[in-house]
Amino acid sequence: MQDILFYIFAALTLFFGFLVVVNPFSRNPVTSAMFLVLTIASLAGLFVLLNAFFLAAVQILVYAGAVMVLFLFVIMLMDIKEEERRRFKKFGVAMGLTAVAGLFGIVAKTIAESGVGAGLKPAFEGDTKTLGTALFSSGQFLLPFEIVSILLLVAMVGVILLSKKDLK
Amino acid sequence: MNAALMILEIAVLVLGIALLLLDLWTPPARKRLLGYGAAVALVVVLAYSFKLTGETGFAFGQAYAFDGLALFFKRFFLLAAILVLVMAAEFSDRIASGISEFYSLILFALAGMMFAASANSFPMLFVSLELITVTFYVLTSFQRNRLASLEAGVKYLILGALSSAFLVYGIALVYGASGTMDFAELAGKSAALKDQPLFLLGLLLVLAGLGFKIAAFPFQIWAPDVYQGSPAPATAFLAVGSKAAGFVLLLRLFNTVGLDVTWHWEKLLMVMAAVTILYGNLCAIPQRNLKRLLGYSSIAHAGYLLLGVAAMSPAGSTAVLYYLAGYLFTVLAAFSVLAIIIRKTDIEDVSGLAGLNQRSPLLAATLTLAMVSLAGVPPLAGFFGKFLLLKSVVEQGGSYYAYYWLAAVALAGVVISFWYYFGVIRAIYWSKDPADLSPIEVSLPARICLYACIAGMLFLGLFPNRLVENARAAVLPPPPAKIAEKTAVAVASPASIK
């Protein structure tokens, strides 16, 4: 059952992810953003299958909810007409396809060679309590977690600096 | 928990946050002085770091390692940040928005680099690299009234995000194959993992992610544009700090965790090193913009440094450490001079150097010495660094003949590089009818920094022993069993190749 669900969610993630980047019917960024919501939702399904329940919930709440609203704001503030008119450069498309094909080839060969294994047992159930214990007890994850707070401070200072209207 | 080991990082972070707060009570006219204050505070931190010599230990499980290698690089980053802060203070009137934020961002990037020096698990590696990179997204686009700076920021953002994606994917595959993200545990399992395709692919993608940071071929494409567009102090810190952070992670990861793997990756690293050297040096020849020229030159130097990694011997790692120390003084000297010239004239072209000898003999002499050292002419630091790197490569030649070819390519690269480095020197001293001969004043702190850089270049070139000894003590010696295995493989390999 779990295996089947995994394949369903993985296929959906890939399919929607593909539509975010290359949608044959529409080049409207809003459509892409909407497909990104679906991609994120199917990713949340994959997290549930990995027992990472908290991560799945956060994925929906934060990414599909808050972050996507921001994305839509930004898209609507920008002039998207120009983006729709723009043609792709042939050289760029060719190089991009080559790179993607090469990467895909390496990954496919690796997976084929290593075979589908039983997979790892999850280290712990991903509910909030165990996750909190793992992050905040003095184990190996505490320090990276605290450094992320500095990272967020830097991002905040940077955004304010770069978007401030008047230059002093 | 042994959090006291992190005293240096904590001091830097507190200093960064204090600067953000001090900004509120400092009148605008005096804000640039905060940079000098921060530099002095960092000198104190650097001095304190010498009290920690010889201490080793782990904190947070094994996630944070404090050893000779970490301490060497922490001092390296502190020294670089001190010089960059003074440079930024000199450059402050060209930085339109918030100079004190510029200082504190430099300090936060510094903290990230110092954490990277101690990173001993993949979460630490990733988070510290992200702290460095995200800070540099802001620093590169800081002159947002200049289109070039914004372009640099956007290019760095997109390619940096791509490289982070590679890195995370690689880490996920390594975790999937091994079930651990701890370097110490991975090192124990690496013998069993070395033939597992998923683990190899994961490590390869991590190499790609780190390759972006050090600007090695084929991940070098962002370097010239970003170097050209960013404000000069940000470029200098990017060239020295970000590159060195990539190398310390590369050394720690590939010489401890991936030991069994990397022994078999010598060809990959050799090709990377050779192509990077040739690409950087050949593309630098037609450049007229000084920052862009230094961008290509930094690609070439990433190639030279990879020689030491490709040699896969303690001698190679020692040479990398020594070379980075010389590179620090040389590149920061060059960028300090550029920052002062650009601040005065706003010309980044080589032709802007015309008559520099009459305008300021000190600047002319410093830039000349920096170019000579980058080119690798004795008796400066660059020469001895290249000598050590080539020596470590040639030493390996006995075991695998391709190392001789690698050394030959590197030598060819050095010869090519003379062309454009000496083009800069020619522009300084032998330009015809320079348009502007007004003298350029150099403030006292900047002069101290320039003298420090000159002293560093000469001292490392003339008396290299002390630092080489330090570097040798700092590099992690591979376990003896591995060396025996390596020689066994090496003896077998020439026959099998023929």
Side-chain angles (χ1 to χ4, degrees), chain B residues 360-449:
Chain B
S360 168
L362 172 64
L363 293 183
T366 314
L367 192 56
T368 308
L369 280 177
M371 289 298 145
V372 169
S373 175
L374 281 175
V377 173
L380 292 161
F383 164 75
F384 200 75
K386 287 198 177 66
F387 173 75
L388 282 178
L389 285 170
L390 282 173
K391 185 163 158 268
S392 72
V393 169
V394 171
E395 270 170 6
Q396 299 292 315
S399 59
Y400 182 31
Y401 72 97
Y403 277 111
Y404 291 128
W405 283 106
L406 184 60
V409 169
L411 269 180
V414 172
V415 174
I416 297 169
S417 71
F418 282 147
W419 174 261
Y420 58 88
Y421 289 132
F422 283 86
V424 174
I425 297 174
R426 200 181 55 195
I428 298 174
Y429 291 99
W430 291 284
S431 283
K432 288 198 184 105
D433 49 69
D436 182 9
L437 281 177
S438 57
I440 302 175
E441 306 104 57
V442 185
S443 72
L444 180 68
R447 239 180 297 154
I448 294 174
C449 279

Side-chain angles (χ1 to χ4, degrees), chain B residues 134-156:
Chain B
V134 169
T135 318
F136 272 112
Y137 295 153
V138 186
L139 286 176
T140 48
S141 42
F142 218 86
Q143 287 178 301
R144 64 195 174 98
N145 48 349
R146 278 179 65 222
L147 204 58
S149 181
L150 288 178
E151 184 192 326
V154 170
K155 279 184 178 160
Y156 194 52

Side-chain angles (χ1 to χ4, degrees), chain A residues 106 110 151 161-162 164 167-168, chain B residues 96 101 131 141 144 197 201:
Chain A
I106 295 176
T110 311
L151 185 83
L161 275 174
L162 293 181
K164 206 166 48 174
L167 299 167
K168 49 175 180 180
Chain B
E101 284 86 351
L131 180 54
S141 42
R144 64 195 174 98
L201 180 62

Side-chain angles (χ1 to χ4, degrees), chain A residues 105-138:
Chain A
I106 295 176
V107 175
K109 185 166 181 288
T110 311
I111 293 172
E113 273 179 15
S114 45
V116 182
L120 290 169
K121 283 247 158 51
F124 44 78
E125 294 283 307
D127 55 6
T128 42
K129 195 174 168 191
T130 38
L131 201 63
T133 319
L135 280 181
F136 290 106
S137 60
S138 64

